[in-house]
Amino acid sequence: MKNQFDALINAPFGAVAIAVHGNQLAIDFLLQSPVSEDYQSENPLVQQAYAQILQYLQQPNAPFNLPTPIGGTPFQQRVWQAIAAIPVGQVRTYGQLARQIGSGPRAVANACGANNTPLIIPCHRVVAQNGIGGFMQGKQNGLRIKQWLLAHEGVSKYQHE
């Protein structure tokens, strides 16, 4: 498992996996931790991400100052910038973000799904008009992780959907 990720942090919902491909950071949420102890590689970007994610898991107001994704289309970059501006403890609907950037809710949702750096680009703060919306491209128990992240940030509305 250590070959698959450059770092792994056990979390109350499972684990946060960190990988670096070239100079591009990727973060993934795992529903179960494959190892009992956290680990990290010697890569400076991995160590920086590891420290900041640990801090976030302890204190949701902890800031992230990691490099934003290099990839993505210009449209995805616009969506990710709008998502990154959502304050901790608040949510926006797909429709609100779509109106903000002059697009449609489905396109915003697709850009959320293409986000490779959740937490840095906090797509868990984007919800549906009438509910929690999707998360982790529909992976099993992904909504449970989204609920945990929102509750961790003080958003209680989506606890029991």
Side-chain angles (χ1 to χ4, degrees):
M1 186 55 65
K2 286 188 179 184
N3 295 341
Q4 189 174 359
F5 305 113
D6 295 304
L8 190 112
I9 301 169
N10 286 288
F13 55 77
V16 179
I18 303 166
V20 173
H21 308 286
N23 62 349
Q24 182 66 42
L25 183 67
I27 297 169
D28 196 13
F29 297 125
L30 306 178
L31 304 173
Q32 294 182 297
S33 180
V35 296
S36 59
E37 292 189 25
D38 297 356
Y39 65 86
Q40 63 181 310
S41 74
E42 300 289 321
N43 181 304
L45 182 55
V46 170
Q47 291 181 350
Q48 186 181 10
Y50 183 94
Q52 289 182 29
I53 291 168
L54 270 180
Q55 186 67 32
Y56 168 83
L57 290 172
Q58 295 168 8
Q59 175 50 256
N61 290 322
F64 285 99
N65 62 356
L66 295 163
T68 55
I70 297 167
T73 66
F75 174 76
Q76 288 170 334
Q77 291 285 336
R78 282 195 356 250
V79 172
W80 296 338
Q81 286 175 340
I83 293 170
I86 302 170
V88 172
Q90 295 184 27
V91 296
R92 300 290 183 274
T93 66
Y94 296 101
Q96 287 171 322
L97 281 176
R99 283 187 296 279
Q100 179 181 331
I101 64 167
S103 182
R106 190 174 304 266
V108 168
N110 288 338
C112 285
N115 174 18
N116 288 327
T117 54
L119 296 182
I120 299 166
I121 307 297
C123 50
H124 61 277
R125 295 181 193 150
V126 183
V127 298
Q129 183 173 343
N130 296 313
I132 195 166
F135 194 60
M136 294 177 54
Q137 297 178 317
K139 287 183 187 172
Q140 184 181 11
N141 293 320
L143 292 181
R144 187 179 60 133
I145 293 173
K146 184 173 185 173
Q147 288 171 325
W148 187 92
L149 293 168
L150 290 172
H152 179 61
E153 294 183 1
V155 178
S156 59
K157 180 178 179 181
Y158 303 100
Q159 295 272 338
H160 302 290
E161 290 202 9

